[in-house]
Amino acid sequence: MERIRKKHPLAIRWFHWVNFPVLAVMIWSGLQIYWANDVYKIQIAGKDLIHFFPDSFYDALNLPYHLSEGMAWHFVFMWFFFVNGFLYVVYTVFSGEWRFLTPNKNSLKEAWQVVLHDLHLRKTIPPQDKYNSAQKIAYTAIVMMGLGSLLTGLAIYKPIQFSWLCTVFGGYETCRIIHFILMIGYCIFFLIHVLQVIFAGWQNFSSMVTGFEVLKNKKK
């Protein structure tokens, strides 16, 4: 016997699906801006370990420099990014959804157990509500990352008008570094999130579209 249970409210689904293309455009346009001055790299003992991005990368993909185009897309879509994120936070607060998303004192331990389970190194998964502890930490982190991107982005965009923001984050260059690191964080989140959806199966994906999930009653 199967039964249908409501899982994701309409508002959460809208925020989720709006944020996906908006964030994708923000990352792409942000990279177009960065490619005009790609100064960041990781060095060990004076040798480049990772360079974001090497000349071979541009040559292989035949990437042109479109600084003005990247800035135009970035500064338009940042408003969609801000409004969608702001409304999401407001909704979760007033609807009570934050109770399902906020980590607790046991979340770190349980999140590690979830990771071990996903890697097939642990047979059982910790008890969970609507979201497991790993999801709670990830979804809370992405909200904090969004706030960080907004504040550092404003500091980079208007360093004179928002000079106090530059000061808070340690200066213009530090703001730009933090902004870039957060972009890498979004890319990693995207990758892990998509992989988890694939491993979780079709029903996990469809529930974010329809808002419902199908449960199978255990046989007695």
Side-chain angles (χ1 to χ4, degrees):
M1 181 71 66
E2 294 180 345
R3 59 190 177 91
I4 297 176
R5 181 177 70 178
K6 187 174 181 180
K7 186 174 184 181
H8 299 297
L10 178 62
I12 292 294
R13 286 179 278 142
W14 267 103
F15 293 135
H16 176 273
W17 291 114
V18 168
N19 195 57
F20 183 80
V22 167
L23 191 54
V25 172
M26 290 293 289
I27 291 173
W28 173 250
S29 58
L31 285 173
Q32 285 185 305
I33 297 171
Y34 172 72
W35 288 335
N37 183 26
D38 57 344
V39 295
Y40 298 139
K41 53 190 173 183
I42 297 176
Q43 291 183 320
I44 295 180
K47 295 183 178 181
D48 291 354
L49 181 63
I50 299 176
H51 187 180
F52 305 99
F53 295 81
D55 292 337
S56 58
F57 173 82
Y58 300 104
D59 295 338
L61 298 180
N62 192 26
L63 290 172
Y65 297 104
H66 290 306
L67 176 60
S68 59
E69 179 183 327
M71 292 177 67
W73 282 102
H74 209 66
F75 297 148
V76 168
F77 271 77
M78 73 176 184
W79 294 110
F80 293 103
F81 180 73
F82 164 70
V83 172
N84 191 62
F86 177 76
L87 291 177
Y88 170 78
V89 171
V90 171
Y91 173 79
T92 55
V93 170
F94 285 95
S95 68
E97 282 287 314
W98 65 271
R99 295 185 180 90
F100 302 111
L101 295 163
T102 307
N104 55 45
K105 62 180 181 180
N106 298 318
S107 291
L108 280 176
K109 177 182 177 181
E110 292 177 355
W112 177 244
Q113 293 172 348
V114 171
V115 172
L116 293 177
H117 178 267
D118 290 344
L119 294 174
H120 302 287
L121 299 176
R122 178 186 171 92
K123 292 184 178 180
T124 59
I125 191 170
Q128 62 185 66
D129 297 320
K130 191 172 184 178
Y131 304 100
N132 61 50
S133 293
Q135 290 174 313
K136 290 179 181 180
I137 292 174
Y139 297 154
T140 300
I142 208 73
V143 171
M144 300 306 296
M145 288 167 61
L147 178 60
S149 292
L150 175 66
L151 296 178
T152 54
L154 287 173
I156 297 169
Y157 180 42
K158 298 289 185 179
I160 303 301
Q161 293 85 340
F162 292 100
S163 58
W164 60 274
L165 268 180
C166 282
T167 302
V168 168
F169 285 102
Y172 179 87
E173 288 301 327
T174 304
C175 283
R176 190 171 181 231
I177 292 173
I178 295 173
H179 204 71
F180 184 79
I181 292 173
L182 288 171
M183 183 274 297
I184 295 175
Y186 293 128
C187 293
I188 295 173
F189 176 84
F190 262 142
L191 177 62
I192 296 175
H193 188 58
V194 170
L195 289 175
Q196 285 182 324
V197 170
I198 293 173
F199 292 144
W202 171 253
Q203 181 171 257
N204 187 59
F205 174 81
S206 63
S207 66
M208 186 53 76
V209 176
T210 64
F212 298 90
E213 64 178 349
V214 178
L215 300 177
K216 293 183 178 180
N217 292 330
K218 295 181 179 180
K219 295 182 179 181
K220 295 183 180 180

